[in-house]
Short mmCIF file of all heavy atoms in Angstrom, two decimals:
data_model
loop_
_atom_site.label_atom_id
_atom_site.label_comp_id
_atom_site.label_asym_id
_atom_site.label_seq_id
_atom_site.Cartn_x
_atom_site.Cartn_y
_atom_site.Cartn_z
N VAL Q 567 0.83 -1.21 0.00
CA VAL Q 567 0.00 0.00 0.00
C VAL Q 567 0.86 1.26 0.00
O VAL Q 567 0.58 2.23 -0.73
CB VAL Q 567 -0.94 -0.03 1.22
CG1 VAL Q 567 -1.47 1.36 1.55
CG2 VAL Q 567 -2.11 -0.99 0.98
N VAL Q 568 1.92 1.26 0.78
CA VAL Q 568 2.80 2.43 0.87
C VAL Q 568 3.49 2.68 -0.47
O VAL Q 568 3.59 3.82 -0.95
CB VAL Q 568 3.83 2.24 1.99
CG1 VAL Q 568 4.82 3.39 2.01
CG2 VAL Q 568 3.15 2.12 3.34
N VAL Q 569 3.96 1.61 -1.11
CA VAL Q 569 4.63 1.74 -2.40
C VAL Q 569 3.65 2.27 -3.46
O VAL Q 569 3.97 3.19 -4.23
CB VAL Q 569 5.21 0.39 -2.85
CG1 VAL Q 569 5.76 0.48 -4.27
CG2 VAL Q 569 6.31 -0.06 -1.89
N LEU Q 570 2.47 1.70 -3.49
CA LEU Q 570 1.49 2.08 -4.51
C LEU Q 570 1.00 3.52 -4.31
O LEU Q 570 0.71 4.21 -5.29
CB LEU Q 570 0.32 1.11 -4.48
CG LEU Q 570 0.65 -0.28 -5.03
CD1 LEU Q 570 -0.40 -1.30 -4.62
CD2 LEU Q 570 0.78 -0.24 -6.55
N GLU Q 571 0.94 3.96 -3.09
CA GLU Q 571 0.57 5.35 -2.84
C GLU Q 571 1.58 6.29 -3.51
O GLU Q 571 1.20 7.30 -4.13
CB GLU Q 571 0.50 5.63 -1.34
CG GLU Q 571 0.12 7.07 -1.02
CD GLU Q 571 0.15 7.38 0.47
OE1 GLU Q 571 0.23 6.44 1.28
OE2 GLU Q 571 0.09 8.57 0.82
N GLN Q 572 2.85 5.97 -3.39
CA GLN Q 572 3.88 6.82 -4.00
C GLN Q 572 3.83 6.77 -5.52
O GLN Q 572 4.07 7.78 -6.20
CB GLN Q 572 5.27 6.40 -3.50
CG GLN Q 572 5.47 6.60 -2.01
CD GLN Q 572 5.15 8.01 -1.57
OE1 GLN Q 572 5.62 8.99 -2.16
NE2 GLN Q 572 4.33 8.15 -0.53
N LEU Q 573 3.50 5.61 -6.08
CA LEU Q 573 3.34 5.51 -7.53
C LEU Q 573 2.15 6.37 -7.98
O LEU Q 573 2.19 6.99 -9.04
CB LEU Q 573 3.13 4.06 -7.95
CG LEU Q 573 4.32 3.12 -7.74
CD1 LEU Q 573 3.95 1.70 -8.12
CD2 LEU Q 573 5.53 3.58 -8.55
N GLY Q 574 1.10 6.39 -7.16
CA GLY Q 574 -0.04 7.24 -7.46
C GLY Q 574 0.32 8.72 -7.43
O GLY Q 574 -0.13 9.51 -8.26
N ARG Q 575 1.14 9.11 -6.48
CA ARG Q 575 1.58 10.51 -6.39
C ARG Q 575 2.28 10.95 -7.67
O ARG Q 575 2.20 12.12 -8.06
CB ARG Q 575 2.51 10.70 -5.20
CG ARG Q 575 1.82 10.87 -3.86
CD ARG Q 575 2.84 11.04 -2.74
NE ARG Q 575 3.83 12.07 -3.07
CZ ARG Q 575 3.65 13.37 -2.91
NH1 ARG Q 575 2.50 13.83 -2.45
NH2 ARG Q 575 4.60 14.22 -3.23
N SER Q 576 2.98 10.03 -8.30
CA SER Q 576 3.68 10.35 -9.55
C SER Q 576 2.87 10.02 -10.79
O SER Q 576 3.36 10.15 -11.90
CB SER Q 576 5.03 9.59 -9.60
OG SER Q 576 5.88 9.99 -8.55
N CYS Q 577 1.63 9.55 -10.58
CA CYS Q 577 0.72 9.23 -11.69
C CYS Q 577 1.36 8.22 -12.64
O CYS Q 577 1.22 8.32 -13.87
CB CYS Q 577 0.33 10.50 -12.44
SG CYS Q 577 -1.31 10.43 -13.21
N VAL Q 578 2.07 7.25 -12.07
CA VAL Q 578 2.74 6.23 -12.89
C VAL Q 578 1.68 5.35 -13.56
O VAL Q 578 0.81 4.80 -12.89
CB VAL Q 578 3.68 5.37 -12.03
CG1 VAL Q 578 4.29 4.24 -12.86
CG2 VAL Q 578 4.78 6.24 -11.42
N PRO Q 579 1.74 5.19 -14.88
CA PRO Q 579 0.72 4.41 -15.58
C PRO Q 579 1.08 2.93 -15.64
O PRO Q 579 2.19 2.53 -15.26
CB PRO Q 579 0.74 5.02 -16.98
CG PRO Q 579 2.18 5.39 -17.18
CD PRO Q 579 2.68 5.83 -15.82
N GLY Q 580 0.15 2.14 -16.13
CA GLY Q 580 0.42 0.73 -16.38
C GLY Q 580 -0.45 -0.21 -15.59
O GLY Q 580 -1.10 0.19 -14.62
N PRO Q 581 -0.45 -1.49 -15.98
CA PRO Q 581 -1.23 -2.52 -15.26
C PRO Q 581 -0.49 -2.97 -14.01
O PRO Q 581 -0.15 -4.16 -13.85
CB PRO Q 581 -1.33 -3.64 -16.30
CG PRO Q 581 -0.08 -3.52 -17.09
CD PRO Q 581 0.22 -2.04 -17.17
N ILE Q 582 -0.23 -2.03 -13.12
CA ILE Q 582 0.62 -2.30 -11.96
C ILE Q 582 -0.07 -3.22 -10.97
O ILE Q 582 0.52 -4.21 -10.50
CB ILE Q 582 1.01 -0.97 -11.28
CG1 ILE Q 582 1.82 -0.10 -12.25
CG2 ILE Q 582 1.79 -1.22 -10.01
CD1 ILE Q 582 2.05 1.30 -11.75
N VAL Q 583 -1.32 -2.93 -10.64
CA VAL Q 583 -2.01 -3.72 -9.62
C VAL Q 583 -2.20 -5.17 -10.05
O VAL Q 583 -1.86 -6.09 -9.30
CB VAL Q 583 -3.35 -3.06 -9.25
CG1 VAL Q 583 -4.18 -3.99 -8.36
CG2 VAL Q 583 -3.11 -1.73 -8.55
N PRO Q 584 -2.73 -5.46 -11.26
CA PRO Q 584 -2.87 -6.86 -11.66
C PRO Q 584 -1.55 -7.62 -11.69
O PRO Q 584 -1.50 -8.80 -11.35
CB PRO Q 584 -3.50 -6.78 -13.06
CG PRO Q 584 -4.13 -5.45 -13.13
CD PRO Q 584 -3.30 -4.55 -12.28
N THR Q 585 -0.48 -6.94 -12.08
CA THR Q 585 0.82 -7.60 -12.14
C THR Q 585 1.32 -7.95 -10.74
O THR Q 585 1.91 -9.01 -10.52
CB THR Q 585 1.83 -6.71 -12.88
OG1 THR Q 585 1.34 -6.43 -14.20
CG2 THR Q 585 3.19 -7.41 -12.99
N ILE Q 586 1.08 -7.06 -9.78
CA ILE Q 586 1.45 -7.36 -8.39
C ILE Q 586 0.60 -8.51 -7.86
O ILE Q 586 1.11 -9.40 -7.17
CB ILE Q 586 1.29 -6.11 -7.51
CG1 ILE Q 586 2.35 -5.06 -7.87
CG2 ILE Q 586 1.39 -6.47 -6.03
CD1 ILE Q 586 2.19 -3.75 -7.12
N LEU Q 587 -0.68 -8.51 -8.20
CA LEU Q 587 -1.55 -9.58 -7.73
C LEU Q 587 -1.14 -10.93 -8.30
O LEU Q 587 -1.18 -11.95 -7.60
CB LEU Q 587 -3.00 -9.29 -8.13
CG LEU Q 587 -3.66 -8.05 -7.52
CD1 LEU Q 587 -5.07 -7.88 -8.06
CD2 LEU Q 587 -3.68 -8.14 -6.00
N ALA Q 588 -0.74 -10.95 -9.56
CA ALA Q 588 -0.33 -12.21 -10.19
C ALA Q 588 0.94 -12.75 -9.55
O ALA Q 588 1.08 -13.96 -9.35
CB ALA Q 588 -0.14 -12.01 -11.69
N ALA Q 589 1.89 -11.86 -9.25
CA ALA Q 589 3.12 -12.22 -8.53
C ALA Q 589 3.87 -13.37 -9.18
O ALA Q 589 4.46 -14.21 -8.50
CB ALA Q 589 2.80 -12.56 -7.07
N ASP Q 590 3.87 -13.42 -10.53
CA ASP Q 590 4.60 -14.49 -11.21
C ASP Q 590 5.57 -13.98 -12.27
O ASP Q 590 6.05 -14.75 -13.12
CB ASP Q 590 3.61 -15.48 -11.83
CG ASP Q 590 2.68 -14.82 -12.82
OD1 ASP Q 590 2.89 -13.63 -13.17
OD2 ASP Q 590 1.71 -15.47 -13.27
N GLY Q 591 5.83 -12.68 -12.24
CA GLY Q 591 6.78 -12.11 -13.18
C GLY Q 591 6.19 -11.72 -14.52
O GLY Q 591 6.88 -11.08 -15.33
N ARG Q 592 4.94 -12.07 -14.78
CA ARG Q 592 4.32 -11.72 -16.05
C ARG Q 592 3.55 -10.40 -15.93
O ARG Q 592 2.90 -10.15 -14.92
CB ARG Q 592 3.36 -12.83 -16.51
CG ARG Q 592 4.02 -14.16 -16.78
CD ARG Q 592 3.00 -15.20 -17.24
NE ARG Q 592 1.99 -15.48 -16.21
CZ ARG Q 592 0.94 -16.28 -16.40
NH1 ARG Q 592 0.76 -16.86 -17.59
NH2 ARG Q 592 0.08 -16.49 -15.42
N ILE Q 593 3.65 -9.57 -16.96
CA ILE Q 593 2.87 -8.34 -16.99
C ILE Q 593 1.42 -8.72 -17.25
O ILE Q 593 1.10 -9.28 -18.31
CB ILE Q 593 3.38 -7.38 -18.07
CG1 ILE Q 593 4.87 -7.12 -17.88
CG2 ILE Q 593 2.60 -6.06 -18.00
CD1 ILE Q 593 5.25 -6.54 -16.54
N THR Q 594 0.56 -8.44 -16.30
CA THR Q 594 -0.80 -8.97 -16.29
C THR Q 594 -1.82 -7.86 -16.42
O THR Q 594 -1.73 -6.83 -15.75
CB THR Q 594 -1.05 -9.75 -14.99
OG1 THR Q 594 -0.06 -10.78 -14.88
CG2 THR Q 594 -2.44 -10.38 -14.99
N GLY Q 595 -2.81 -8.10 -17.27
CA GLY Q 595 -3.92 -7.18 -17.41
C GLY Q 595 -5.22 -7.86 -17.04
O GLY Q 595 -5.27 -9.07 -16.84
N VAL Q 596 -6.29 -7.09 -16.98
CA VAL Q 596 -7.60 -7.60 -16.60
C VAL Q 596 -8.61 -7.25 -17.68
O VAL Q 596 -8.68 -6.09 -18.11
CB VAL Q 596 -8.06 -7.04 -15.25
CG1 VAL Q 596 -9.47 -7.51 -14.92
CG2 VAL Q 596 -7.09 -7.44 -14.14
N LEU Q 597 -9.38 -8.24 -18.11
CA LEU Q 597 -10.49 -8.00 -19.03
C LEU Q 597 -11.71 -7.67 -18.19
O LEU Q 597 -12.21 -8.50 -17.44
CB LEU Q 597 -10.75 -9.23 -19.89
CG LEU Q 597 -11.90 -9.12 -20.90
CD1 LEU Q 597 -11.65 -8.00 -21.88
CD2 LEU Q 597 -12.10 -10.45 -21.62
N ASP Q 598 -12.17 -6.43 -18.29
CA ASP Q 598 -13.27 -5.96 -17.45
C ASP Q 598 -14.33 -5.28 -18.32
O ASP Q 598 -14.07 -4.24 -18.93
CB ASP Q 598 -12.73 -4.96 -16.41
CG ASP Q 598 -13.80 -4.50 -15.43
OD1 ASP Q 598 -14.88 -5.10 -15.41
OD2 ASP Q 598 -13.53 -3.54 -14.69
N GLY Q 599 -15.50 -5.90 -18.38
CA GLY Q 599 -16.58 -5.31 -19.16
C GLY Q 599 -16.28 -5.20 -20.64
O GLY Q 599 -16.81 -4.31 -21.31
N GLY Q 600 -15.46 -6.09 -21.14
CA GLY Q 600 -15.12 -6.07 -22.56
C GLY Q 600 -13.98 -5.15 -22.92
O GLY Q 600 -13.64 -5.01 -24.11
N TRP Q 601 -13.36 -4.53 -21.92
CA TRP Q 601 -12.24 -3.62 -22.16
C TRP Q 601 -10.98 -4.15 -21.47
O TRP Q 601 -11.05 -4.75 -20.39
CB TRP Q 601 -12.54 -2.22 -21.63
CG TRP Q 601 -13.66 -1.53 -22.33
CD1 TRP Q 601 -14.98 -1.56 -22.00
CD2 TRP Q 601 -13.57 -0.71 -23.49
NE1 TRP Q 601 -15.71 -0.81 -22.87
CE2 TRP Q 601 -14.88 -0.27 -23.80
CE3 TRP Q 601 -12.51 -0.31 -24.30
CZ2 TRP Q 601 -15.15 0.56 -24.89
CZ3 TRP Q 601 -12.78 0.52 -25.38
CH2 TRP Q 601 -14.08 0.94 -25.67
N VAL Q 602 -9.84 -3.90 -22.07
CA VAL Q 602 -8.57 -4.26 -21.46
C VAL Q 602 -7.59 -3.11 -21.67
O VAL Q 602 -7.56 -2.49 -22.74
CB VAL Q 602 -8.00 -5.58 -22.04
CG1 VAL Q 602 -7.73 -5.45 -23.53
CG2 VAL Q 602 -6.75 -6.02 -21.30
N GLU Q 603 -6.82 -2.80 -20.65
CA GLU Q 603 -5.89 -1.68 -20.71
C GLU Q 603 -4.47 -2.16 -21.00
O GLU Q 603 -4.09 -3.26 -20.62
CB GLU Q 603 -5.91 -0.92 -19.38
CG GLU Q 603 -7.27 -0.33 -19.03
CD GLU Q 603 -7.30 0.27 -17.63
OE1 GLU Q 603 -6.29 0.15 -16.91
OE2 GLU Q 603 -8.35 0.84 -17.26
N HIS Q 604 -3.69 -1.32 -21.68
CA HIS Q 604 -2.28 -1.59 -21.97
C HIS Q 604 -2.08 -2.94 -22.66
O HIS Q 604 -1.15 -3.68 -22.35
CB HIS Q 604 -1.44 -1.53 -20.68
CG HIS Q 604 -1.47 -0.20 -20.00
ND1 HIS Q 604 -0.69 0.85 -20.39
CD2 HIS Q 604 -2.21 0.23 -18.95
CE1 HIS Q 604 -0.92 1.89 -19.60
NE2 HIS Q 604 -1.85 1.54 -18.73
N LEU Q 605 -2.95 -3.26 -23.60
CA LEU Q 605 -2.93 -4.58 -24.22
C LEU Q 605 -1.57 -4.91 -24.84
O LEU Q 605 -1.08 -6.04 -24.71
CB LEU Q 605 -4.02 -4.67 -25.29
CG LEU Q 605 -4.16 -6.00 -26.01
CD1 LEU Q 605 -4.54 -7.10 -25.02
CD2 LEU Q 605 -5.22 -5.91 -27.11
N ASP Q 606 -0.95 -3.96 -25.49
CA ASP Q 606 0.31 -4.22 -26.19
C ASP Q 606 1.45 -4.56 -25.24
O ASP Q 606 2.47 -5.13 -25.65
CB ASP Q 606 0.70 -3.02 -27.04
CG ASP Q 606 -0.24 -2.81 -28.22
OD1 ASP Q 606 -0.95 -3.77 -28.57
OD2 ASP Q 606 -0.26 -1.70 -28.78
N ALA Q 607 1.31 -4.20 -23.96
CA ALA Q 607 2.39 -4.43 -23.00
C ALA Q 607 2.21 -5.72 -22.20
O ALA Q 607 3.09 -6.10 -21.43
CB ALA Q 607 2.48 -3.25 -22.03
N LEU Q 608 1.08 -6.42 -22.39
CA LEU Q 608 0.74 -7.54 -21.52
C LEU Q 608 1.33 -8.87 -21.97
O LEU Q 608 1.49 -9.13 -23.16
CB LEU Q 608 -0.79 -7.68 -21.44
CG LEU Q 608 -1.58 -6.47 -20.96
CD1 LEU Q 608 -3.06 -6.77 -20.95
CD2 LEU Q 608 -1.10 -6.04 -19.57
N ASP Q 609 1.62 -9.70 -20.97
CA ASP Q 609 1.99 -11.09 -21.21
C ASP Q 609 0.79 -12.01 -21.07
O ASP Q 609 0.73 -13.08 -21.68
CB ASP Q 609 3.08 -11.53 -20.22
CG ASP Q 609 4.36 -10.75 -20.37
OD1 ASP Q 609 4.74 -10.44 -21.51
OD2 ASP Q 609 4.98 -10.42 -19.33
#
């Protein structure tokens, strides 16, 4: 939470939360309501 707060302060973009949740080294995105963010960067 402390780390992510600082990333928010700098408005750092990217699928940061799903990748942390996956915790397997893969850049992870979420398909939500038919939309997916940062598709070109995802594993």
Side-chain angles (χ1 to χ4, degrees):
V567 161
V568 175
V569 173
L570 288 163
E571 180 184 347
Q572 296 307 310
L573 294 177
R575 278 180 50 82
S576 298
C577 209
V578 175
I582 298 171
V583 171
T585 302
I586 291 175
L587 296 178
D590 58 9
R592 297 181 297 176
I593 306 301
T594 303
V596 176
L597 179 60
D598 184 11
W601 294 91
V602 62
E603 299 173 356
H604 298 279
L605 182 62
D606 292 341
L608 302 179
D609 298 322

